[in-house]
Amino acid sequence: MSVKTPAPPSNPSSPRTADAPAPRARGRRPDFTPLWLLTPAGLVIVLVTIAPIVYLVYTSFTDYNQRTLFTGEFTYAGLENYTNLLSSSDFWKSLLRTVLFTAALVIGSMLIGMGVSHLLTRVNLFWRYTTTVVLITAWAMPNVASTLVWNWLFQPGYGVVNWILAQLRIFGDTTDLNWADDPTLAYLAIWMLVVWQAVPFIALTLNAAEQQVPPEYQEAARLDGASEFTVYRMITLQFLRPTLLLVTILSVIWDYNVFNQIWLFSAGGPGDSTSTLGVFTYKTAFVGFQVGEGAAISVITTAILLGLTALYIRSLLKSGEDL
């Protein structure tokens, strides 16, 4: 007669329980599914972004010109294009105009955007929603279409702006005033257009951040006798600093690349007085057909923007660490 040996009782104090996960199998093959899912996006980035940049850098070291467009022949020019650019006064003047105009655009759009953002916190719900819809509509309008409308508004002879100024009788008869023929007026009109396009994004972004400011800090400052301007400067702006920094860097990058508005309104004129770096690049590459030299300007511009992008990423990571 066989005797069955009873199974040993389970030890409840054993470190492994029924709910414990099974040990990981040794030699398990890595899962490449995420990489396969990212492959289509990676291919698009390579074809649309990386490959054109590589070809741009390569072209900047050649004498690619109008002859090349018909014959396909070009030769290696080395650093000749970069040497010509760095010794060209037109390049440095366009770079200076770009920096100054970018600074004016960023300062104007940031100040107006901050004002609109704070205004949205002071109005009732109806006006807040109405203003938000108007801002989004203005922001969604393509800049080419809005620039064409801007040209009609400032047209000499039948432009609405000239007609309004003529009716006010402050600046005399402005009916036939051509804004694009005067550098100051051309810059002013383009500045108003770009700021009008940039304010919606800045205002809505800052307003979203301003809604997160703890109200108890503001109430405590008011109880201590602080004015509304002091509350905004000492309390609100302190909480908005990370968002302000990121929006400012983004605005610098966007305004540095302004081209459509300038080209469609004044084509860089009169003369070259409104020819920023983007317009100077276009004229060099596609008007003068010095494609290699235009590519060199684009490489320099890309390097500057990469530096600004590095600042943006660094600020983004720093703001994430401060949260």
Side-chain angles (χ1 to χ4, degrees):
M1 181 178 180
S2 60
V3 180
K4 295 182 179 180
T5 305
S10 59
N11 186 9
S13 61
S14 176
R16 180 176 178 182
T17 62
D19 297 332
R24 185 177 181 180
R26 295 181 179 179
R28 184 178 178 182
R29 298 179 61 182
D31 187 9
F32 292 104
T33 303
L35 296 179
W36 285 111
L37 295 175
L38 291 174
T39 299
L43 291 176
V44 171
I45 292 175
V46 170
L47 294 176
V48 176
T49 303
I50 298 179
I53 291 178
V54 172
Y55 185 73
L56 177 71
V57 175
Y58 172 73
T59 306
S60 68
F61 292 100
T62 66
D63 63 347
Y64 200 111
N65 52 24
Q66 189 175 11
R67 171 181 55 84
T68 309
L69 298 176
F70 295 97
T71 64
E73 298 177 358
F74 59 89
T75 58
Y76 179 75
L79 297 176
E80 181 180 352
N81 291 328
Y82 293 94
T83 303
N84 293 336
L85 282 177
L86 296 179
S87 60
S88 172
S89 60
D90 293 336
F91 169 76
W92 291 109
K93 289 178 182 178
S94 65
L95 180 60
L96 178 61
R97 283 191 290 265
T98 302
V99 172
L100 295 178
F101 193 45
T102 299
L105 291 173
V106 172
I107 293 174
S109 58
M110 288 299 300
L111 290 177
I112 298 175
M114 292 169 62
V116 175
S117 169
H118 191 62
L119 179 65
L120 289 175
T121 64
R122 313 291 293 183
V123 297
N124 57 39
L125 193 62
F126 171 79
W127 286 111
R128 186 183 307 169
Y129 284 156
T130 303
T131 307
T132 301
V133 171
V134 172
L135 290 174
I136 294 177
T137 303
W139 185 34
M141 190 173 183
N143 57 33
V144 173
S146 59
T147 304
L148 293 177
V149 174
W150 213 255
N151 279 333
W152 297 336
L153 292 176
F154 288 86
Q155 253 330 302
Y158 58 86
V160 176
V161 174
N162 289 348
W163 179 82
I164 293 176
L165 292 177
Q167 298 303 310
L168 294 176
R169 303 182 185 279
I170 299 177
F171 304 100
D173 186 9
T174 58
T175 305
D176 296 324
L177 176 63
N178 191 348
W179 291 64
D181 279 348
D182 184 87
T184 303
L185 295 178
Y187 270 119
L188 178 60
I190 298 170
W191 181 88
M192 289 188 292
L193 171 60
V194 177
V195 169
W196 173 75
Q197 294 171 334
V199 162
F201 171 79
I202 297 173
L204 295 177
T205 303
L206 292 179
N207 181 254
E210 194 168 349
Q211 296 290 339
Q212 306 303 318
V213 178
E216 54 267 18
Y217 291 95
Q218 298 171 332
E219 293 299 329
R222 293 188 182 98
L223 290 176
D224 288 339
S227 63
E228 290 298 323
F229 177 76
T230 304
V231 172
Y232 183 79
R233 181 173 60 89
M234 300 300 296
I235 306 297
T236 306
L237 284 183
Q238 296 303 316
F239 284 92
L240 292 180
R241 282 179 60 187
T243 306
L244 278 173
L245 178 60
L246 298 183
V247 172
T248 301
I249 295 176
L250 283 176
S251 298
V252 171
I253 294 174
W254 292 334
D255 294 339
Y256 190 90
N257 282 320
V258 168
F259 170 77
N260 292 333
Q261 296 89 329
I262 299 175
W263 182 255
L264 293 176
F265 190 86
S266 65
D272 288 329
S273 56
T274 60
S275 179
T276 57
L277 208 54
V279 176
F280 180 67
T281 304
Y282 180 83
K283 285 185 174 181
T284 302
F286 301 109
V287 177
F289 289 103
Q290 299 298 325
V291 181
E293 191 169 335
I297 305 173
S298 300
V299 170
I300 296 175
T301 304
T302 303
I304 296 174
L305 293 179
L306 284 177
L308 296 175
T309 304
L311 289 176
Y312 166 69
I313 295 175
R314 181 176 178 274
S315 303
L316 185 64
L317 295 177
K318 186 177 180 180
S319 63
E321 293 174 356
D322 294 338
L323 294 178

